């Protein structure tokens, strides 16, 4: 089983749609959770950290379910500029520095 | 805009060459990282420096040699690479603390080994 699993997509949605991504992780001892976005041939950029209480940043909402070991990202009112690959990231069991990246979920927002 | 700067942005090198990748950050971060990313794959951790000391080496071949001259700079020295080492090399930095330590990436160096 992969340490961090994501549906690769692509998710193809119209502008204005709401889309949700899920991610599961295998290490119950993980403490740090993040969503990054990566545009084609660019570096990953931090979208948001994910806290146990959940957090929201504008159109983006992240949730953490420790019991089920999954993380979600909800994007409301999708924009064309949201088209990217979204990477779920979790720290490894033995180190807070060792970030494990999921393979990413590709989102395509069409006009 | 990223506050982690990597040079060069592109590099083509032969298998007998020696080259270096450079990374600089001025965010006061004391942890710095090298990641390797192949096409259509997620980034994979190579090395972590904490307070200018190597703290993690993910069993990287010795043809990759990291160096952290000071708290703002991180180098990756390359020697006798193979074509399969062609990839995007990403530098990142973060604060040194417990958890939820957010890492920020540079734009990467796209390396081609011929």
């Amino acid at each position: 089983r992969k340490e961090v699993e994501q549906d690769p997509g692509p998710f193809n949605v119209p502008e204005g749609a709401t889309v949700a991504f899920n991610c599961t992780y295998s290490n119950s001892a993980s403490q740090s959770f993040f969503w990054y976005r990566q545009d084609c041939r660019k570096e990953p950029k931090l979208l948001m950290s994910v806290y146990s209480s959940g957090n929201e940043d504008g159109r983006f909402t992240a949730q953490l379910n420790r019991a089920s070991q999954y993380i979600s990202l909800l994007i409301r009112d999708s924009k064309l500029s949201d088209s990217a690959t979204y990477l779920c990231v979790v720290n490894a069991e033995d180190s807070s520095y060792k970030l494990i990246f999921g393979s990413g979920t590709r989102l395509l927002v069409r006009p | 805009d990223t506050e982690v700067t990597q040079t060069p942005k592109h590099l083509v090198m032969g298998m007998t060459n020696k080259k270096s990748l450079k990374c600089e950050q001025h965010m006061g971060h004391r942890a710095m990282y090298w990641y390797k990313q192949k096409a259509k794959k997620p980034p994979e951790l190579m090395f972590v420096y904490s307070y200018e000391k190597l703290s993690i080496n993910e069993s990287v071949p010795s043809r990759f040699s990291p160096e952290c001259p000071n708290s703002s700079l991180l180098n990756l020295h390359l020697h006798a690479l193979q074509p399969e080492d062609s990839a995007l090399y990403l530098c990142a930095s973060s604060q040194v603390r417990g958890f939820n330590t957010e890492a920020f990436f540079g734009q990467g160096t796209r390396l081609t080994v011929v």
Side-chain angles (χ1 to χ4, degrees):
Chain A
R1 182 184 170 186
K2 288 183 182 177
E3 291 182 85
V4 181
E5 291 201 67
Q6 296 182 251
D7 181 341
F11 285 63
N12 191 325
V13 303
E15 271 187 292
T18 294
V19 62
F21 307 138
N22 288 330
C23 162
T24 57
Y25 60 96
S26 60
N27 178 15
S28 60
S30 292
Q31 298 285 337
S32 304
F33 310 92
F34 309 94
W35 284 103
Y36 281 76
R37 72 168 278 169
Q38 187 169 26
D39 294 284
C40 187
R41 299 181 70 80
K42 299 283 190 181
E43 77 276 20
K45 292 189 176 179
L46 179 67
L47 185 63
M48 56 202 310
S49 300
V50 187
Y51 304 111
S52 296
S53 55
N55 46 310
E56 186 174 316
D57 183 2
R59 299 181 294 108
F60 299 84
T61 300
Q63 297 280 351
L64 169 63
N65 185 320
R66 285 187 185 272
S68 301
Q69 293 179 216
Y70 82 77
I71 307 153
S72 64
L73 178 68
L74 183 76
I75 306 175
R76 290 180 297 277
D77 189 22
S78 299
K79 310 291 184 192
L80 295 176
S81 57
D82 293 335
S83 297
T85 295
Y86 290 82
L87 298 161
C88 175
V89 183
V90 176
N91 76 287
E93 176 179 34
D94 57 340
S95 170
S96 62
Y97 296 120
K98 198 182 294 185
L99 297 180
I100 309 297
F101 283 75
S103 297
T105 298
R106 191 163 172 224
L107 172 65
L108 301 172
V109 181
R110 63 180 188 272
Chain B
D1 289 340
T2 183
E3 296 185 61
V4 179
T5 304
Q6 290 187 243
T7 55
K9 288 189 169 43
H10 300 274
L11 178 63
V12 179
M13 62 184 289
M15 289 188 283
T16 58
N17 291 161
K18 285 185 182 181
K19 296 287 184 183
S20 296
L21 309 185
K22 298 186 181 302
C23 175
E24 187 169 7
Q25 58 87 15
H26 294 288
M27 293 182 281
H29 290 168
R30 300 302 295 275
M32 296 187 76
Y33 312 73
W34 282 114
Y35 282 83
K36 173 182 177 179
Q37 187 174 24
K38 302 281 278 184
K40 300 189 187 302
K41 298 288 187 182
E44 293 181 351
L45 183 65
M46 299 174 73
F47 303 103
V48 179
Y49 274 82
S50 173
Y51 293 108
E52 296 85 68
K53 293 193 187 320
L54 184 64
S55 60
I56 296 177
N57 176 342
E58 289 287 272
S59 303
V60 179
S62 60
R63 58 186 185 269
F64 295 91
S65 176
E67 178 196 19
C68 190
N70 61 52
S71 60
S72 300
L73 295 175
L74 185 66
N75 299 323
L76 186 63
H77 303 297
L78 314 172
H79 174 54
L81 294 194
Q82 303 298 311
E84 59 265 29
D85 295 321
S86 299
L88 179 67
Y89 288 84
L90 293 159
C91 174
S93 71
S94 74
Q95 296 180 7
V96 176
R97 60 175 193 220
F99 295 97
N100 280 105
T101 302
E102 299 170 342
F104 297 91
F105 286 82
Q107 292 179 323
T109 293
R110 195 161 296 279
L111 174 68
T112 302
V113 182
V114 297

